[in-house]
Amino acid sequence: MPTLFLSNGSIILSELRLFFSYALQHKYSYLLGVICLFITNLLAVTIPVYLGESIDLLGGSDDQDYHALIEKIYWVIGFAFCVMISRTASRMLFFNPGRLVEKEFKNDAFKKLTQSQQGFYETHPVGGLISIVNNDINGIRAMAGVGMMNVFNIFFTLSMTPIKMWQISPSLMLYCLVPVIISFLIVNHAIATMRKLLSQRMRYLQNLSTQTVTFLNGVEVIKGNDIKTWALDKFNHSNDEILAVSLKQLRIRTFIMPILEFTESVLKIIILGVGGWYLMQSELSLGDITAFLAYASLLAMPFMSLGRLISTVQMGMVSLKSMGRILHQPVSDENTLSPTDKATFSQSALFSKGLEVRNLHFTYPKLKDENGEHVIKSGEDRKQEFALKNISFTIKPGERVAILGRVGSGKTTLVNCLNRFYDIPENSVFIDGYDVTKLSRKEIRAAVRTITQEPFLFSDTLENNIQFGSENAPSRLTMEMALEQSAMTKDVKTFPDGVQTLVGEKGILLSGGQKQRISLARGMFTPANLLMLDNVLSAVDNETERFLLNQIFNNAQAKSGLIVSHRQAVLERVDKILLLEDGEITATGSHSELLKTSNLYRETWQFLQTGTAEGESNA
């Protein structure tokens, strides 16, 4: 089929393999559906034979002709009833797998999205991913349901109907093929344009979904800066792009369908004209003409279905390409240590020797376009710059380490490399001597817990947010202790439903400080070998900060700690400070040591004491 080929003529094998890997899971349902379609088409091409014979019997005058006519009518009624049953069964047997394939695609896509790391989301906008899962999946469902059914239905109809027509009159059948072929060529050319429009429309939908998510997340900024008009204009422009493409698709559809319907009318005119001549020449009977008219309708129907099938397959292939961006994303979360290392590895005792970073270099992944290709800035052949360069340090069990640096120095990036939110080079980060790239992320995060500077709360109760992920923990705090250690006890008493209070989407009903403290309570709720805190105290007052630091240093269940902070109370209490500048560690030592050896640290410390230090933000 021409539409199953790319412009260079190669078959889209990867998309087809992806599709059939799901569709063939329901092969028995499809097989029964094919059998029902075969029966439907066999009966459908048999009915005109009996109709034609019945018409010829109308000229008879004896009782034998009358009884034969009644018998033919009964056969036609019986066949029609069987066609109704088999056609209904075939639709159920094809449409149900189509829905199941849709469900399985969505489940696997969501599973893959939950396994993908932070780097994937930085190169693939969330709004676009939502559009793929919610909108693009419709093309796959149609292809797995009505598309698969039409493939076999068209095959059976086009193989059985011409044979019956040939048996009645070969020459008349050849006359009928001329308008059918012409119509097909016109329709196929129009459908080729439809494929481009479908792909364009899906890109616009993904873009609109991305804009919607972005605007809703920043709605307070939009209102606060009085740029609602700008946001509406951007949204309307994206919406107008979708409307324009949709109208182009609609124009093509309104042009195609009348042509297909016109083809059936032309066929009937040819049959009545040419067939009437054959009738006068006694080459055909009136019953043959009647049967031919019925076959003309049967012959036109698959060509009408063929137009829809081409559109369905094209939309499905575009959808598969979009879905493949998610499902083909490589995700590995297996322990790939050597057999010797596996023999000595113990997940429960991980971090017994500590963490070591050796000459870590890291570069952010490139952005990708809607086709999954890397985006390169026009007119620029730029070299990628390292976000982290030659990072080396250790964290021993029981040690508290702080990271200090200006805005954009790489603090958050370093934290995300240590916990493998980002994919890092091999032989760069080791825990107990094991390369973390050889360990599964599950094993790493069972020992290393991160509390980020942008806490995320689920639209659930306060209690469930704190207990989230603690089901399989060997031990955990009581809810009262968790609230006490996170300085949330007084706040919870003011909530209408206590710990059962719903916090809203992303914790929208709470203040920034409350969200940070709940996130801190979640992180300290269960034991961790290494607790990493990425500037989690930025939204609390000084008194609360002192209390929380006492809990973190004295009562936290973590054996070791890594704290990103510019707070004086943190820098004075940790065992070691890493001074980060432009992605490099420029100094390492305790607070007292750095005051003696590092001019930058002394300047930073003086700024902190006078209250003129720069604020923190994402590195």
Side-chain angles (χ1 to χ4, degrees), residues 280-494:
M280 290 187 292
Q281 300 298 319
S282 300
E283 296 181 18
L284 292 176
S285 67
L286 185 60
D288 292 334
I289 301 297
T290 304
F292 235 97
L293 288 171
Y295 285 130
S297 298
L298 290 177
L299 187 64
M301 287 177 61
F303 280 96
M304 295 178 65
S305 299
L306 188 59
R308 289 191 291 269
L309 174 63
I310 293 172
S311 177
T312 299
V313 171
Q314 288 176 338
M315 184 170 67
M317 297 303 285
V318 173
S319 299
L320 285 166
K321 185 177 182 180
S322 297
M323 187 62 70
R325 291 167 54 192
I326 298 176
L327 297 177
H328 292 157
Q329 176 70 17
V331 174
S332 176
D333 194 30
E334 297 181 359
N335 185 316
T336 58
L337 294 173
S338 65
T340 303
D341 287 336
K342 284 185 177 180
T344 59
F345 175 77
S346 174
Q347 179 177 336
S348 60
L350 194 60
F351 207 82
S352 59
K353 298 178 182 178
L355 178 143
E356 181 182 4
V357 182
R358 303 176 191 167
N359 302 318
L360 170 64
H361 290 75
F362 175 77
T363 303
Y364 281 106
K366 291 181 179 179
L367 291 175
K368 296 181 180 180
D369 60 16
E370 66 276 358
N371 297 316
E373 301 294 334
H374 289 301
V375 175
I376 301 178
K377 292 183 178 180
S378 58
E380 233 183 303
D381 185 18
R382 67 185 188 96
K383 296 180 179 179
Q384 294 193 45
E385 297 181 356
F386 287 109
L388 297 175
K389 293 165 284 187
N390 197 30
I391 300 293
S392 297
F393 66 91
T394 60
I395 301 177
K396 298 177 181 178
E399 193 174 29
R400 301 288 193 271
V401 177
I403 300 178
L404 177 66
R406 295 190 177 99
V407 174
S409 60
K411 303 183 296 299
T412 297
T413 302
L414 177 57
V415 169
N416 289 336
C417 286
L418 298 182
N419 57 27
R420 286 205 67 196
F421 281 4
Y422 293 134
D423 290 320
I424 59 175
E426 296 182 358
N427 300 318
S428 297
V429 179
F430 299 83
I431 298 180
D432 291 352
Y434 301 112
D435 186 351
V436 296
T437 63
K438 306 294 184 182
L439 302 177
S440 71
R441 289 181 171 86
K442 180 178 180 181
E443 291 167 342
I444 295 172
R445 291 167 190 169
V448 179
R449 182 167 304 132
T450 306
I451 304 176
T452 65
Q453 59 182 322
E454 296 180 359
F456 181 89
L457 299 181
F458 295 92
S459 183
D460 205 333
T461 63
L462 178 65
E463 181 180 38
N464 288 342
N465 270 284
I466 294 176
Q467 293 179 342
F468 183 77
S470 64
E471 294 81 4
N472 300 321
S475 64
R476 55 185 186 175
L477 299 175
T478 63
M479 185 56 58
E480 291 75 15
M481 291 177 63
L483 295 175
E484 177 63 28
Q485 290 188 10
S486 60
M488 280 296 296
T489 302
K490 293 181 179 179
D491 297 71
V492 171
K493 289 181 179 179
T494 65

